Amino acid sequence: MPPLNFTVILPLLVLTIWACLLLLVDLFVKNKGITALLAALGLAISLGVTLSQVGATGTSFNNMVTLDGFSTFVNALLLVSGLFGVALAYGYVKRMGIERGEYYTLLLFSIVGMMLMAQAADLIIVFLALEMLSIPLYVLAAFARPNVNSEEAGLKYFLLGAFSTGFVVYGIALVFGATGTTSLAGIVAAASSGTSSLLLLTIGSALILVGLGFKVAAVPFHMWTPDVYQGAPSAVTAFMAAGAKIAGFAALLRVFSLAFPSLASDITPIIAVISALTMIVGNVIAIAQTNIKRLLAYSSIAHAGYILMAFVPYGQKDVVATSVAAGLFYLVSYVLTNFGAWAVVIALEKAEGKGLEIADYAGIGRKYPALAAAMTVFMLSLTGIPPTLGFVGKFYLFRAAIAGQFYLLAVIGVLTSLISAYYYLRVVVTMYMREGEPETTSEPWLNITWGLAALLTVIVSLVPAPLFDWASQAVLKLF
Amino acid sequence: MVPVSYYVALSAILFTIGALGVLIRRNPLIIFMSIELMLNAANLAMVAFARIYTVLEGQIFVFFVMTVAAAEVAVGLALIVAIFRTKHSINIDEMNSLKG
């Protein structure tokens, strides 16, 4: 048996040990702000380790986990999301009276699961990572107990999440039955040598797609999203929207692009339809929302559709690398914009769920010009209007879809973006054109989050090439 | 020896019963048991396939599923207890404070 190469999972190890110690240290720390800072420090150290691994590759644990450019890119993005998540929670949990040290530990454990997902090279690890990221999120969603909404969100998320896990596990069992192995490389080999049962493999991969579709909130598996996003504490929702999406897409990429390329003719039309439906349903239902958290929930569904677009051409060898790189780029833009927008939501939220209606945003433009400007940037970016990162991301995505000759999908993408302008710009109009007496909370970490996110959203959109090149480099060795 | 296809058929039936249970039943505890049934259907299929291929991966996977399911139970039951304390009811149809 070859010796274990722990450097492959070093960022994960650092974070896991840090989280365990944090749980212990938290017992003796009265001021939970210190726990938050320690959690952020752990994330920063892990981020440092991850960045030191840029360009490194390797496998370990009997080829069950892998380290490559893709996993490094995704891990870095996840750790940055974690830092944003801690920054948003720092003041929020105190203000809402739900300050408990476990919050940060659960956040760290969830990120560990997400990072493991990005490094998975075996279906067993995919399953393990899926659960490691989900179980802490179930608890976090219900973190504001005994608040009924939060508890309800937690239970709904838990039941549907566990339900989707059932699909993933059964799908894995069938894929194993078809190929006799759970290793992604082994599945490719068995599938291409034709020794596998095609029927079992197809049903199995479809079940895995259903399960992961639940996780990333793709239509028609999105029903839980608005309720959970609305009921969960806003800081948790922000993290959940970004982190779970990144991890879900990392899993889709690993499993579908790497293990099932031979099924492309069967799976590609399915992903294309799911992607189109997700864009349409998410954007159309968002129009009717008056609660900003529900609006952002439907917006997050719609964006899942855009990102799914990157996986549609996964069977076409010459397009897939650019397409997945465009997907990664879009994830970065979504993460930045998402955390910025949620930071603004948190700044306006008051106890007992007040300040969450779009009408409550009236008058911000006059009273808090900087906050209003930042929110405008995020809304423009979510719509996909230049000069914001959302525009560049959509441009790369649609270009990849056209290169893969999915013209209809690109057209649907553009049309649904137009529809989305209606409800995103309504928020902007409310902020600037309506009279109101809004009250916001100004907390240093919160202000840094939305300020930084807004700046990056604009600045990176002016020079997007380096980021896109990094994303392209990251996926280069995969295909 | 019983042919493997029998095991796979049984696991498919169990999985379907489990999935239907989740969709039809209204008590979170029973929904939860249905989910466990789905997981165990997968376990049965895994073990049966591991037997024909004579590899251990399938059986190891079952251990992972059982362990993770136990962790999930801990969180799920805690959530249900917390909700019962607040609402004095765990009927899914009464979980309707979030809508729009």
Side-chain angles (χ1 to χ4, degrees):
Chain A
M1 194 173 158
L4 294 178
N5 178 4
F6 285 106
T7 51
V8 169
I9 56 159
L10 197 57
L12 273 170
L13 275 183
V14 170
L15 207 57
T16 313
I17 295 170
W18 195 277
C20 293
L21 290 179
L22 191 66
L23 200 56
L24 205 65
V25 169
D26 179 59
L27 279 177
F28 307 101
V29 177
K30 274 273 175 337
N31 179 357
K32 298 305 171 195
I34 294 176
T35 314
L37 291 180
L38 285 174
L41 185 63
L43 289 167
I45 293 174
S46 184
L47 183 60
V49 176
T50 304
L51 291 179
S52 76
Q53 287 181 331
V54 171
T57 54
T59 58
S60 184
F61 296 93
N62 226 347
N63 296 328
M64 288 179 98
V65 287
T66 177
L67 170 73
D68 52 25
F70 173 76
S71 75
T72 311
F73 188 94
V74 173
N75 282 355
L77 187 58
L78 283 168
L79 289 163
V80 171
S81 309
L83 285 170
F84 274 131
V86 173
L88 286 189
Y90 182 78
Y92 179 82
V93 289
K94 207 177 293 177
R95 186 146 48 94
M96 296 292 149
I98 50 171
E99 192 175 38
R100 303 184 196 107
E102 297 84 17
Y103 186 100
Y104 303 104
T105 317
L106 288 167
L107 195 83
L108 293 194
F109 278 128
S110 184
I111 295 173
V112 169
M114 292 167 185
M115 288 164 69
L116 188 60
M117 185 72 104
Q119 297 197 283
D122 192 293
L123 289 177
I124 295 180
I125 299 293
V126 170
F127 164 70
L128 206 59
L130 190 67
E131 289 300 280
M132 256 174 97
L133 83 89
S134 300
I135 292 176
L137 283 183
Y138 302 149
V139 184
L140 283 174
F143 205 75
R145 81 184 174 83
N147 175 323
V148 176
N149 288 349
S150 173
E151 284 181 345
E152 192 178 310
L155 188 69
K156 280 179 175 169
Y157 192 28
F158 168 74
L159 287 177
L160 285 167
F163 187 46
S164 72
T165 306
F167 282 96
V168 173
V169 172
Y170 202 69
I172 293 175
L174 293 187
V175 170
F176 173 68
T179 57
T181 173
T182 52
S183 125
L184 295 184
I187 292 168
V188 183
S192 53
S193 69
T195 53
S196 60
S197 149
L198 191 61
L199 180 69
L200 277 183
L201 191 63
T202 316
I203 300 177
S205 61
L207 284 173
I208 296 178
L209 183 64
V210 169
L212 294 177
F214 265 105
K215 286 287 162 208
V216 299
V219 175
F221 318 112
H222 67 289
M223 302 79 73
W224 57 273
T225 319
D227 284 0
V228 173
Y229 280 25
Q230 188 190 354
S234 300
V236 175
T237 313
F239 173 69
M240 197 153 63
K245 225 167 225 106
I246 304 170
F249 284 106
L252 274 177
L253 179 107
R254 285 279 182 213
V255 176
F256 282 88
S257 320
L258 300 188
F260 303 136
S262 58
L263 295 177
S265 61
D266 292 320
I267 301 283
T268 296
I270 301 177
I271 301 187
V273 169
I274 293 180
S275 162
L277 273 179
T278 310
M279 289 186 283
I280 296 169
V281 171
N283 280 318
V284 169
I285 302 186
I287 291 176
Q289 303 306 319
T290 54
N291 180 298
I292 189 85
K293 282 176 94 172
R294 280 189 97 81
L295 182 124
L296 286 176
Y298 280 107
S299 137
S300 131
I301 295 174
H303 282 87
Y306 294 118
I307 305 169
L308 266 180
M309 212 187 230
F311 293 94
V312 174
Y314 84 92
Q316 304 178 7
K317 276 255 173 294
D318 46 336
V319 188
V320 62
T322 1
S323 174
V324 170
L328 279 183
F329 187 93
Y330 200 82
L331 272 177
V332 175
S333 90
Y334 179 70
V335 164
L336 275 178
T337 320
N338 170 69
F339 274 110
W342 280 102
V344 177
V345 171
I346 287 173
L348 266 99
E349 184 173 353
K350 286 181 267 309
E352 291 154 14
K354 297 268 175 2
L356 290 173
E357 296 299 313
I358 294 175
D360 294 323
Y361 284 65
I364 298 185
R366 193 154 304 158
K367 210 168 162 193
Y368 304 98
L371 190 71
M375 191 59 166
T376 309
V377 167
F378 302 135
M379 291 296 124
L380 292 181
S381 178
L382 288 170
T383 323
I385 298 173
T388 56
L389 208 49
F391 165 75
V392 188
K394 276 193 177 136
F395 173 75
Y396 284 134
L397 266 185
F398 296 162
R399 194 180 61 177
I402 288 169
Q405 298 188 323
F406 291 95
Y407 301 115
L408 186 62
L409 204 59
V411 170
I412 292 177
V414 173
L415 286 181
T416 51
S417 300
L418 278 178
I419 296 175
S420 74
Y422 175 76
Y423 62 86
Y424 289 130
L425 293 183
R426 199 177 56 193
V427 177
V428 178
V429 167
T430 310
M431 286 194 303
Y432 284 102
M433 307 289 186
R434 302 256 192 290
E435 297 289 329
E437 281 302 315
E439 275 179 46
T440 64
T441 313
S442 180
E443 286 153 356
W445 289 107
L446 196 61
N447 297 349
I448 289 174
T449 306
W450 58 255
L452 190 69
L455 278 180
L456 284 176
T457 306
V458 174
I459 293 170
V460 179
S461 81
L462 301 176
V463 273
L467 184 60
F468 190 73
D469 287 344
W470 188 24
S472 307
Q473 287 292 320
V475 296
L476 199 61
K477 294 198 186 78
L478 284 179
F479 303 105
Chain B
M1 196 180 119
V2 185
V4 164
S5 56
Y6 284 33
Y7 287 104
V8 179
L10 176 63
S11 86
I13 293 169
L14 284 177
F15 183 79
T16 317
I17 294 174
L20 282 178
V22 174
L23 297 174
I24 293 170
R25 299 307 294 258
R26 282 290 156 264
N27 182 320
L29 278 174
I30 296 184
I31 293 180
F32 200 36
M33 284 156 65
S34 305
I35 291 171
E36 292 293 308
L37 198 59
M38 291 166 73
L39 295 180
N40 282 323
N43 285 350
L44 180 64
M46 270 287 182
V47 172
F49 287 131
R51 180 101 180 136
I52 24 173
Y53 291 111
T54 56
V55 289
L56 279 177
E57 272 167 275
Q59 307 198 2
I60 291 168
F61 186 80
V62 172
F63 282 112
F64 276 92
V65 174
M66 289 196 303
T67 324
V68 168
E72 222 168 33
V73 168
V75 169
L77 291 183
L79 278 172
I80 292 172
V81 169
I83 287 218
F84 186 74
R85 280 191 188 153
T86 323
K87 294 187 93 149
H88 301 291
S89 154
I90 50 168
N91 193 321
I92 287 290
D93 289 331
E94 288 171 35
M95 309 276 169
N96 51 10
S97 52
L98 301 166
K99 58 181 163 225

